[in-house]
Amino acid sequence: MTNLILLGPPGAGKGTQARMLTDQHGLVQLSTGDLLREAVAAGTQAGKAAKEVMQAGGLVSDDIVIAIVNDRLDQPDVANGVIFDGFPRTVAQAEALDELLDNKSMQLDAVVSLEVEDAAMIDRISGRYTCGDCGEGYHDTFKVPAKDGVCDQCGSSEFKRRADDNAATVAERLRAYHAETAPLINYYDAKGVLKRVPAMGDIAEIGNQLSAIAG
Ligand code: AMP
């Protein structure tokens, strides 16, 4: 059982790598972005509060996000190990996570910083889309399905793009990353749990490195 955090700017590959670790190691992917999108779609109070902030590429309030993570960590499947994807994003969230893990007798095994070049992130994000059925990720230029319009994994022809994956919002998301989230690299380095993984290369190769860290 391993609990991991994936750190990195939008487009670094956190979601893609988390899905691979889920498949290979049975870890649970805890993506606060996914949970918030579900809350927005369901029209919950948290979703209503988060909707506009997400559309603008800003950060949803720490209180809302921490409450969502707290609830998710109460579900029994987290005993298999958790990959935190997109959380924590602020030092306040990291401190809250330390406390949550402590209260739930869970430990943090590693924090992986996916090291990428900002300039490439806009192109990566602007062209990405996913299978609407199984969630497999694709990209207009970098990863197209073998058969046009058909998911390689599940055969579905339903695809979706995120509303916030446009150039204007991406710029704000990158700004928020550098202002609020990048300081977490030092936060976790000081705790001795940080591992830096170069993440501009081949997806499978990066996956192998993460898999070794996940044990
Ligand atoms: P993501 O799917 O991780 O790219 O997140 C999409 C959007 O959800 C972000 O741009 C934020 O508006 C919001 N969000 C996701 N995770 C967090 C978090 N940990 N703290 C604050 N906002 C978040």
Side-chain angles (χ1 to χ4, degrees), residues 45-192:
Q45 218 176 348
K48 284 181 186 142
K51 189 173 180 187
E52 278 181 24
V53 180
M54 292 172 75
Q55 270 168 1
L59 291 185
V60 175
S61 80
D62 289 335
D63 289 353
I64 290 178
V65 175
I66 292 162
I68 284 179
V69 172
N70 184 30
D71 285 351
R72 184 65 185 86
L73 289 179
D74 282 338
Q75 291 174 31
D77 61 344
V78 302
N80 298 327
V82 180
I83 313 154
F84 293 94
D85 160 11
F87 177 88
R89 260 184 163 89
T90 63
V91 171
Q93 290 179 16
E95 289 169 352
L97 178 62
D98 288 342
E99 207 177 308
L100 284 181
L101 293 176
D102 227 32
N103 291 340
K104 296 175 199 294
S105 302
M106 294 170 71
Q107 69 174 39
L108 187 58
D109 298 290
V111 176
V112 177
S113 169
L114 295 173
E115 311 259 303
V116 292
E117 292 152 23
D118 255 28
M121 295 304 107
I122 304 219
D123 282 348
R124 276 200 192 179
I125 294 177
S126 303
R128 73 184 180 179
Y129 60 99
T130 53
C131 171
D133 281 338
C134 74
E136 180 71 6
Y138 293 96
H139 191 281
D140 294 327
T141 313
F142 308 131
K143 186 186 167 195
V144 294
K147 183 161 180 248
D148 197 24
V150 180
C151 176
D152 295 341
Q153 295 297 321
C154 75
S156 169
S157 51
E158 294 291 319
F159 293 94
K160 57 184 186 188
R161 283 177 199 263
R162 278 171 49 174
D164 61 346
D165 277 351
N166 58 73
T169 308
V170 172
E172 176 54 24
R173 285 157 66 198
L174 282 170
R175 196 204 58 75
Y177 173 79
H178 287 291
E180 305 282 350
T181 311
L184 296 181
I185 294 175
N186 285 341
Y187 179 90
Y188 287 116
D189 204 11
K191 284 180 182 284

